[in-house]
Each structure stands twice: as structure tokens, then as C-alpha cells.
Amino acid sequence: MNNAAAPYLTDLFGLHGRTALITGGSSGIGYAIARALGGAGAHITIAARRQTHLDQALTRLHAHGVTATAVQADMGDPDDITRLCETVPDTDILVTSAANNIRHPMGELTPGDYEQTIAVNLTAPYRLGQHHAPRMARRGWGRIINIGSQQTHRAFGNSGAYGVAKAAIGGLSRSQAEAWSPHGVTANTILPGFVLTPLTEAVQAIPGRVEALAARHAIGRNGLPDDYAGIAVFLASDAAAFVTGQNICVDGGFSIT
């Protein structure tokens, strides 16, 4: 790298002085994004349901030189979301990565399955956006990064309620962009392919399924959490000031096959 490149890239992609809240930040894509944004200079707060997982994630983040704190919160619990907003009243960057997926056939989903799935995957991102976006707008700068799914625009077996929520997440980002982008706040959705994370362990356990899904990706492999580091830094940075309201596939070509 030449001498001019480092400060140029820092100005373009650096997040020094910024703060970021990442739900689901203790594992999977959420953790990879937390590490990436922290590595770019942001102060990180991760939120997740299990305290032991948060403690382990903090240890790993600190080992990478990331300045990070954690808040235990269940995104399916309305009171926990209220408490999270009170504990972290302001942030420059909001990443909604927490998710659940109750993998029952559509005809076997109970009302409780549906309500729990919508609460974690849609209501929590909506409520957090409603809290933080107006505050970002008053400061004239903000970034909302929602994590969608291939099910934002296509079906996937035995994930019906999850598909409903993730389709709505794409619409949420567009609505957030329409409302807040005139005030310097962008909102976008990242659409992963099939990623090897704790959320997909049930599918990974099916013999031959991982290999079959890898073959469906144009690049011939399934995704890994670290595949989402670059897009997260880009969308969180000044480099993406003109990108808003978009559903961005980061899926190794899964969506084109």
C-alpha cells in the first residue's frame, strides 16, 4: 500500500468516533460484523440473549483490540427491548442481526411459533429503529443495517414464519430509508446466502444438505460469518452515504441459481 492509500481508506471507510449497537452480536454474522465495525474504529455494544455467550464474545473482541461492551437482552421480550433502549439510548450505527427460526412445516406452525418469530425477526428491528433513527436524524448522520435472508424474496423449506418476517425486513429498510434518509440516515438490508452459523445448525445436521446447498452457490461454497465483514463496514461508513433503501445480496451467487 502506498503512503497516500492508508489515510484515504481511513477517511473513506474508518469509523473512529462512531458507536455501533449490534443485536445478536455474540455469534454468527452478528459477531463478525461487531468485530469488523470495531476493527474499523467504532465503539461496539453487542446485545444477545445468553450472558455466557456475551461474555465469551467480549473476551474475543477485546483480544482483537475492539472496544466493546455488552447488554443481555432477549429480542423476543418487549421489556428487554425497552431496557436495551434505555441502556443504550443513542448510537450512530444500528445492526439488527438477532434472529430465530422455528423450522416446522408451514402447516404445523402454531400461533406461538409465529408470534415468537415475528417478535424477534421483525418487531425488535422495528422498535429499535423507531427509537434510534429519530435520534440519528437529529444529529444528521446514522446507519441502519438490517440482516435479511434469501427468504426476503424467495421461499426456503420449513421456514415459513421466518420467511414472512424476513420479507417484511426488506420493506422495513425501504420505509426507514424513505423516512430518515433526507436527514442523513441510511437504511439497508443485507441478504446472506446459506451461512454456516448456529442459526442454521438444524439444516446442517441433515445428511448431504450442506453439500447440496454449497453447490447452489455460484462460487461453490456456503457462506461464513466473516464474509459479511466488508459489506458491513462499507454500509456503516461514509463511503455508502448514497446507498439507502436497498436489499443487497451477499450470497456467493445463491440468488442467481
Side-chain angles (χ1 to χ4, degrees):
M1 183 179 294
N2 63 44
N3 291 335
Y8 172 76
L9 292 175
T10 298
D11 289 343
L12 193 60
F13 296 107
L15 299 174
H16 294 279
R18 301 296 187 189
T19 57
L21 170 62
I22 301 100
T23 69
S26 65
S27 65
I29 292 173
Y31 173 81
I33 289 176
R35 179 181 170 187
L37 300 185
H43 181 286
I44 304 302
T45 299
I46 57 174
R49 184 163 53 94
R50 298 182 181 91
Q51 187 63 52
T52 55
H53 289 191
L54 283 170
D55 293 342
Q56 292 165 3
L58 276 183
T59 297
R60 294 163 62 198
L61 289 170
H62 293 158
H64 289 293
V66 173
T67 302
T69 56
V71 179
Q72 187 279 326
D74 182 346
M75 292 301 101
D77 185 332
D79 292 337
D80 274 16
I81 296 174
T82 298
R83 180 172 54 80
L84 178 59
C85 290
E86 292 170 349
T87 305
V88 186
D90 291 291
T91 192
D92 299 311
I93 303 158
L94 171 64
V95 181
T96 63
S97 185
N100 71 342
N101 189 352
I102 299 172
R103 297 181 183 276
H104 296 164
M106 193 74 171
E108 298 177 14
L109 287 169
T110 68
D113 293 337
Y114 176 83
E115 290 164 6
Q116 182 183 353
T117 303
I118 295 298
V120 174
N121 292 285
L122 179 59
T123 304
Y126 170 79
R127 284 192 58 195
L128 289 168
Q130 288 295 93
H131 175 86
H132 287 290
R135 290 164 171 77
M136 295 174 180
R138 286 196 289 271
R139 298 191 297 272
W141 196 98
R143 299 288 186 265
I144 299 172
I145 303 171
N146 295 312
I147 306 301
S149 163
Q150 288 300 310
Q151 286 188 253
T152 301
H153 54 65
R154 69 194 292 175
F156 192 89
N158 293 345
S159 296
Y162 181 79
V164 171
K166 290 303 185 179
I169 279 291
L172 175 62
S173 292
R174 288 189 293 271
S175 293
Q176 290 170 328
E178 186 276 332
W180 306 114
S181 292
H183 309 285
V185 181
T186 66
N188 294 286
T189 307
I190 297 172
L191 307 185
F194 185 78
V195 186
L196 303 177
T197 71
L199 187 66
T200 63
E201 285 177 349
V203 177
Q204 295 176 51
I206 300 171
R209 189 71 166 137
V210 168
E211 293 78 9
L213 287 166
R216 285 183 59 183
H217 292 74
I219 66 171
R221 68 167 176 86
N222 293 305
L224 300 171
D226 285 346
D227 289 322
Y228 298 88
I231 186 65
V233 171
F234 169 66
L235 290 176
S237 72
D238 288 334
F242 205 56
V243 180
T244 195
Q246 302 304 304
N247 292 332
I248 302 172
C249 291
V250 183
D251 64 1
F254 191 94
S255 56
I256 66 171
T257 60

